Amino acid sequence: MNAQVESPTTARILTWNIHKGIGADRRYDLGRIIDLARRHEPDIVALQEVDSRGRDPTNLPLAALKLALGSHAAEARTIVAEDGHYGHVLISRWPLETVILHDVSIGRREPRCAIDAVIRTPRGPFRVITTHLGLGWGERKRQIGKLVALARAADPGEGLVMLGDFNDWHGEVRRALDDLLPAWSFLRTFPARRPLFKLDRIFCRPAGALTQCWTDAEAARASDHLPVIADLALEALTAQEPTLSQAVT
């Protein structure tokens, strides 16, 4: 975890589609996901495609991820089956407050959700929204509209971070959020071994909050996506108390 414990000046945030914990060798290995994430000492982690279906019920992925990455977590179970569940998670070393799950599913397409939470850091709170958008353009266009509505409903003075796997093949998510979240990551993350597309993103406001971002090519062994890691300036993010908006339906 971040070494600046007493009075941190930055929040290190990581988002990663972990491909159900299955790597390039087609082998399930959550341990290498954890090892790579911990190497970057994140304070806040958003992981997509977390899948417990068919796994040992006494050793579920979220329990292992929380033990290694942070004791505070919110989970969006978008698919629930008899032998487990599938979805995405938000994990933090700092407490999560007033967590809301927004349903962004479209019709009969795969269920989708956005986790919306206030993170209480030692320097004050800021708001985080994480999601995993659909593959179809028509589906994603409507989901983008819901994310834009969430960002617009928030107090314009509050620090806001939106991150995850947006399946942003042609930059449509970035363009839609440009005026609302003026800072963003620009890294190619998919396919992991030879990344061409910026599917995974971190967006935030105010503009000066995003100080640096990077990825880790070694993650190609563990997933078909690369992670995005960023340092965010807490002084900028926590300048005002955040308030959660109502769910967008």
Side-chain angles (χ1 to χ4, degrees), residues 4 43 191 238:
Q4 302 177 68
D43 300 305
T238 61

Side-chain angles (χ1 to χ4, degrees), residues 117-140:
V118 172
I119 296 184
R120 180 70 57 175
T121 81
R123 282 185 173 259
F126 67 92
R127 184 173 169 190
V128 172
I129 300 172
T130 180
T131 193
H132 183 188
L133 298 189
L135 292 169
W137 163 235
E139 170 193 19
R140 195 164 58 255

Side-chain angles (χ1 to χ4, degrees), residues 24-41:
D25 55 4
R26 300 183 181 180
R27 183 169 58 89
Y28 173 78
D29 187 347
L30 196 65
R32 59 188 170 188
I33 297 287
I34 289 171
D35 288 346
L36 187 135
R38 289 182 67 181
R39 180 189 310 165
H40 295 280
E41 300 185 318

Side-chain angles (χ1 to χ4, degrees), residues 50 71 166 197 249:
V50 177
S71 57
F166 295 91
F197 301 101
T249 58

Side-chain angles (χ1 to χ4, degrees), residues 4 7-12 94 121-126 157-161 205-211 231-242:
Q4 302 177 68
S7 184
T9 58
T10 63
R12 179 159 295 172
W94 298 309
T121 81
R123 282 185 173 259
F126 67 92
E158 75 177 11
L160 176 60
V161 179
R205 72 175 183 224
L210 180 60
T211 59
D231 282 343
L232 308 177
L234 280 176
E235 184 176 4
L237 281 173
T238 61
Q240 180 171 318
E241 287 278 327

